[in-house]
Amino acid sequence: QVQLVESGGGLVQPGGSLRLSCAASGIIFNFSDMAWYRQAPGKEREVVATITRSSSTNYADSVKGRFTISRDNAKRTVSLQMNSLKPEDTAVYYCNLRSRSAVDYWGQGTQVTVSS
């Protein structure tokens, strides 16, 4: 059974930083593509950053230069370092794993609130 467990969300002031982490189990992590999505109230879920099994990365325009996605295959984790946070980054952030057979798995989500 595939499980994704996120951690690291919270309340931060504008301009601050947070680091989200997602630990995976129950699947061959090295063969999986990973991503972070977010969903703000009243909006659709959107992709924030992706990292392939070969560690190629891609970012939404809104977070380029501020967020960094990384993975540690030995620890079976994917992280999202978020700097220079803005109020519009407030959302529930979800970890996503896409398996080699193109099946998507999701974490439970972690709340990020950027507010003074």
Side-chain angles (χ1 to χ4, degrees):
Q1 181 179 358
V2 178
Q3 282 194 318
L4 301 174
V5 179
E6 299 123 333
S7 61
L11 172 64
V12 64
Q13 292 187 341
S17 299
L18 279 176
R19 185 176 181 85
L20 306 182
S21 293
C22 172
S25 61
I27 196 166
I28 302 176
F29 185 79
N30 297 27
F31 295 158
S32 304
D33 295 330
M34 303 297 298
W36 286 96
Y37 285 70
R38 67 186 180 188
Q39 188 167 19
K43 294 188 176 182
E44 292 187 355
R45 190 173 297 190
E46 62 176 359
V47 62
V48 175
T50 63
I51 184 165
T52 68
R53 64 200 70 178
S54 59
S55 294
S56 295
T57 59
N58 201 11
Y59 297 91
D61 287 344
S62 58
V63 306
K64 279 181 181 176
R66 301 188 297 123
F67 291 10
T68 302
I69 190 171
S70 60
R71 64 189 294 159
D72 185 330
N73 288 339
K75 296 182 179 179
R76 305 166 62 84
T77 59
V78 62
S79 298
L80 185 69
Q81 178 66 42
M82 305 185 294
N83 298 328
S84 302
L85 282 161
K86 305 175 181 180
E88 51 263 44
D89 294 318
T90 295
V92 177
Y93 284 70
Y94 296 91
C95 177
N96 167 265
L97 181 151
R98 176 161 292 182
S99 71
R100 193 166 48 171
S101 55
V103 176
D104 281 316
Y105 299 90
W106 297 91
Q108 80 283 359
T110 185
Q111 177 71 46
V112 172
T113 303
V114 185
S115 175
S116 55

